[in-house]
Amino acid sequence: MHTQVHSQSRARGGLIAWACLTVAIVAEVVGTSFMADAARHGGYLGYAVMAVALAISYYFLALSVRGIAVGVAYAVWEGLGLTLLTVVGIVVFKDSLSVQQMIGLVMAAVGIVCVTLGEAHTS
């Protein structure tokens, strides 16, 4: 019985850590998107939103490492943030990517999947 309770608690802690990492990634994407908008169009409100969102992002990233290895959490945070920001750049800011850049992003995404799957098996 004790082992079952411990494994349920550990699973819940891991789920909370991944939820915190998800919040950190979303906040990073929001903050960096507002930074890009402010840099391109001016205005201090965008920089203010950026500062708050990035502070939230780092806070939740820090919380996530309670249940996820720091290297894994950082790799997923950075990699998914990069991928999502690329999508925002293309959709919102009308950025374009070269074939080489697209290949690099696909390689980064594959690496993130490998790192994440490795974390799931070592927990």
Side-chain angles (χ1 to χ4, degrees), residues 10 18 24-25 31-32 36 41 43 53-54 57 64 68 72-73 82 90 96 99 105 108 119 123:
R10 187 173 178 180
W18 284 100
I25 292 166
T32 307
H41 303 112
L54 292 180
S57 177
S64 75
I68 303 170
V72 172
L82 169 73
I90 291 168
S96 61
V99 171
L105 285 170
E119 173 72 7
S123 293

Side-chain angles (χ1 to χ4, degrees), residues 35-108:
M35 175 198 67
D37 185 66
R40 293 175 184 193
H41 303 112
Y44 292 105
L45 179 61
Y47 291 119
V49 172
M50 173 201 73
V52 171
L54 292 180
I56 290 168
S57 177
Y58 275 99
Y59 175 73
F60 278 93
L61 177 61
L63 291 179
S64 75
V65 300
R66 292 179 177 175
I68 303 170
V70 67
V72 172
Y74 187 79
V76 172
W77 177 78
E78 189 67 36
L80 286 180
L82 169 73
T83 303
L84 292 171
L85 281 167
T86 301
V87 171
V88 168
I90 291 168
V91 172
V92 175
F93 299 115
K94 308 301 182 212
D95 293 341
S96 61
L97 295 176
S98 68
V99 171
Q100 183 177 355
Q101 289 169 321
M102 285 189 261
I103 291 169
L105 285 170
V106 168
M107 290 172 65

